[in-house]
Amino acid sequence: MDPARLPHQAAPEARTQVSTQPTPAHLPPAPLHGPWADMRVFGNRWPGPPRPASRATIAAVLVAAVVAALSVPLDRAGVGWLITAIAGVVALAVARLVPDPAPAAVPPPLVRRPSGPEALSKFRYFWAAATVALLGVGTVRAAGWLFFLCLCTAVLTAALAVAGGRSLRAMTVAVFLAPVATLRALPWIARGVAAARRGGGGRGLRVAATVAVSALLLLVFGALFSSADAAFAGLVGRAVPDVDAGTVTRWIFVFGVASLVLGGAAYLRAAPPDLTVLERPGRRRVARLEWAVPLTLLVLLFAVFVAVQLTVLFGGSAHVLDTEGLTYAEYARSGFWQLLVVTGLTLGVLAGAARWAPRETGADRVLIRTVLGALAALTLVVVASATHRMDVYADTYGLTRLRLLVMICELWLGLVYVLILAAGLRLTGRWLPRAAVATAVLALLGLAGANPDRLIADHNVTRYEQTQRIDTLYLSELSADAVPALDRLSGVNRDCSLAPIAAGLRSDPDDWRGGNLGRHRARELLAHHPAPAPATCPGDYRYR
């Protein structure tokens, strides 16, 4: 019988032709469809882009990496970080929006999995804007410790912008997937480079020739103009760094790091991971008494502590002075850290109870609202007590960076508990993890807007006007942001506070990459009102 006449069978020759159809070498193998398990490391949750990197992606990543290499000042905060952040965002937008002119050689899969709501989440734009704003802090604030915190937070927000995530687990996984993406992006970009060479080698040669001719023209005419005018030569000297072995090494290092980071970000945006499995609420539940009894006892313990703390909050300094053997240092310094730990641990308790406590019946839901709401409300009083202790300590011994920072952290934790109370009204908190991280980012940006080093200097100078006690040694270690506040001092106290800062500004000038508003204003102020280094400084006392 002729096999071609059977409608339910295919000719052997036809099957052979389909099975031996070649696949272009620059493309990954076509996805297999069937009931078998996916043997890849990340499975179907993060298979990666089905096609190699496009020419627009490769070009955008390389251009942004060059901008980063020329702009980033590794030793200070400056406008170069903001320029790099903007260049990175533009590069990722180009890689995402500009299509590849090469036709697709792989047929579309028969079955498409939904990419999940995170693939089109508008919250990614907030994380991207937060990343740019955090790196932009170095343009206006000179405090190195503040910019370091902003830089670390920008790494977190950038990972969330490209990988997504709504729940705490999904956001944690998204952050850890970012460095993995930099490694997975290398073969993806290599395949894209190979495809670009085969499909448009002549165009790439013309682009390279254009860049070379442009650089040659700028070099020749720039050298002529520099030799003709001293002012123009000075401008060029400030804009173009001295090219030596250290500069070239820094360029190569920053270019490599920026290429890896932006390549991994483009890889994640081209094929974000499916984190929906981590967004589901926990299914495992515990019995009502198993969680209600220990948490009710914990609420009672909190209530007793809060009852005691109310007398302290309303008693103020009188409570400290009237308590035998109690000093400000013992009252504030020791008690604050314990209360800060209590506040953090309570967050874990509330998260565990919200995940595993049953809520099927109306009684379960009322119990959850009552117990967890009472615990969160009582913790707010603990936050108020801890903040009060640190406020008393700062009024007594002065304000420092550490004291200001931990006070901001405690206030942010209080805001998180308010969000928890709001989520408990309807027992829906899918938005809570992102809201908590977003408020932390906004709190850090708010701290940068408040100019913390100047705030510290203002507080201590005001305190000096009242008590005639000041630690000029500590104040001289602040950044240039504190110069306007320290200028309020007079005599030797002013010189002892400002002379080290002025010496640092003179010995380490900024080029355009390190342009910073705080240091610029400090140099202008010290130029009109210098602070000479005194022979001796008054006896300083160190903060206790």
Side-chain angles (χ1 to χ4, degrees):
M1 181 180 293
D2 188 358
R5 296 181 179 180
L6 296 179
H8 61 280
Q9 288 183 339
E13 294 80 2
R15 290 198 303 269
T16 302
Q17 292 176 1
V18 173
S19 61
T20 59
Q21 188 176 7
T23 301
H26 66 281
L27 293 174
L32 301 177
H33 304 285
W36 46 83
D38 195 334
M39 301 303 294
R40 290 171 295 188
V41 175
F42 296 96
N44 52 29
R45 295 296 177 184
W46 191 24
R51 300 178 57 190
S54 65
R55 299 172 187 174
T57 299
I58 298 172
V61 168
L62 291 179
V63 170
V66 171
V67 172
L70 298 177
S71 302
V72 170
L74 293 178
D75 58 340
R76 71 192 67 197
V79 71
W81 291 97
L82 178 60
I83 295 174
T84 300
I86 296 175
V89 171
V90 172
L92 294 179
V94 170
R96 182 73 172 176
L97 299 177
V98 177
D100 192 347
V106 177
L110 300 179
V111 178
R112 293 183 180 272
R113 294 182 177 271
S115 58
E118 278 301 321
L120 300 176
S121 174
K122 294 182 179 180
F123 217 81
R124 292 179 185 269
Y125 297 107
F126 171 80
W127 297 129
T131 303
V132 175
L134 288 167
L135 294 179
V137 168
T139 306
V140 294
R141 297 290 175 253
W145 66 275
L146 176 64
F147 182 69
F148 178 75
L149 291 178
C150 292
L151 182 61
C152 294
T153 309
V155 173
L156 171 65
T157 55
L160 295 177
V162 296
R166 290 188 299 180
S167 68
L168 182 60
R169 290 190 301 166
M171 294 170 70
T172 303
V173 171
V175 172
F176 283 101
L177 284 182
V180 178
T182 61
L183 301 179
R184 295 190 66 183
L186 293 178
W188 178 62
I189 293 178
R191 292 195 302 268
V193 172
R197 286 177 178 175
R198 282 187 293 269
R203 180 182 300 177
L205 182 61
R206 290 194 297 270
V207 171
T210 301
V211 173
V213 171
S214 302
L216 180 62
L217 291 175
L218 291 177
L219 179 62
V220 172
F221 284 92
L224 291 174
F225 283 135
S226 298
S227 61
D229 186 79
F232 184 80
L235 177 63
V236 173
R238 289 190 297 269
V240 180
D242 296 331
V243 179
D244 52 17
T247 302
V248 173
T249 302
R250 179 179 63 85
W251 283 348
I252 295 174
F253 172 76
V254 176
F255 177 82
V257 172
S259 299
L260 288 175
V261 171
L262 292 174
Y267 182 89
L268 279 170
R269 293 301 296 130
D274 184 8
L275 302 177
T276 54
V277 67
L278 302 175
E279 311 287 354
R280 302 169 184 170
R283 296 181 179 180
R284 184 180 177 181
R285 303 296 185 185
V286 297
R288 183 183 301 173
L289 293 180
E290 291 177 352
W291 75 269
V293 171
L295 262 66
T296 301
L297 295 176
L298 186 62
V299 167
L300 294 177
L301 177 63
F302 269 64
V304 174
F305 179 81
V306 165
V308 175
Q309 290 303 297
L310 291 178
T311 60
V312 177
L313 291 174
F314 291 107
S317 302
H319 170 79
V320 180
L321 299 176
D322 295 341
T323 304
E324 183 178 359
L326 186 63
T327 65
Y328 279 109
E330 294 171 350
Y331 168 73
R333 180 164 50 188
S334 62
F336 175 82
W337 297 108
Q338 286 89 330
L339 296 182
L340 183 62
V341 172
V342 167
T343 307
L345 289 178
T346 308
L347 275 180
V349 173
L350 290 172
R355 180 173 180 81
W356 291 304
R359 59 188 69 183
E360 286 76 14
T361 66
D364 289 331
R365 292 189 287 271
V366 171
L367 189 60
I368 289 176
R369 289 190 177 98
T370 302
V371 176
L372 300 189
L375 186 59
L378 292 172
T379 307
L380 284 176
V381 183
V382 175
V383 170
S385 176
T387 306
H388 173 72
R389 289 169 185 262
M390 185 53 65
D391 184 62
V392 171
Y393 196 28
D395 286 341
T396 307
Y397 296 116
L399 190 61
T400 64
R401 290 169 173 171
L402 179 61
R403 294 166 193 170
L404 177 62
L405 188 59
V406 296
M407 188 180 297
I408 295 297
C409 290
E410 189 70 21
L411 292 175
W412 169 74
L413 287 173
L415 178 59
V416 171
Y417 280 101
V418 173
L419 296 177
I420 291 174
L421 289 173
L425 295 177
R426 300 184 61 184
L427 293 181
T428 56
R430 297 184 63 185
W431 52 270
L432 186 57
R434 289 193 300 183
V437 177
T439 54
V441 172
L442 294 177
L444 184 57
L445 291 175
L447 179 64
N451 199 348
D453 274 14
R454 180 169 182 173
L455 188 65
I456 293 169
D458 270 323
H459 182 279
N460 287 284
V461 170
T462 301
R463 179 178 167 276
Y464 167 73
E465 295 171 352
Q466 299 171 353
T467 64
Q468 298 301 305
R469 303 180 69 185
I470 193 169
D471 187 350
T472 57
L473 179 60
Y474 178 80
L475 295 178
S476 66
E477 297 172 356
L478 298 177
S479 68
D481 293 331
V483 169
L486 297 178
D487 190 57
R488 294 167 48 195
L489 296 171
S490 59
V492 68
N493 285 327
R494 179 184 181 276
D495 294 340
C496 288
S497 300
L498 289 177
I501 302 176
L505 292 174
R506 287 193 304 268
S507 62
D508 194 11
D510 296 326
D511 58 8
W512 71 269
R513 301 160 191 80
N516 179 272
L517 183 61
R519 290 192 291 267
H520 175 71
R521 289 177 175 175
R523 288 190 176 97
E524 286 188 338
L525 191 151
L526 292 172
H528 291 86
H529 193 186
T536 58
C537 290
D540 299 330
Y541 78 99
R542 297 303 298 171
Y543 290 137
R544 305 180 191 178

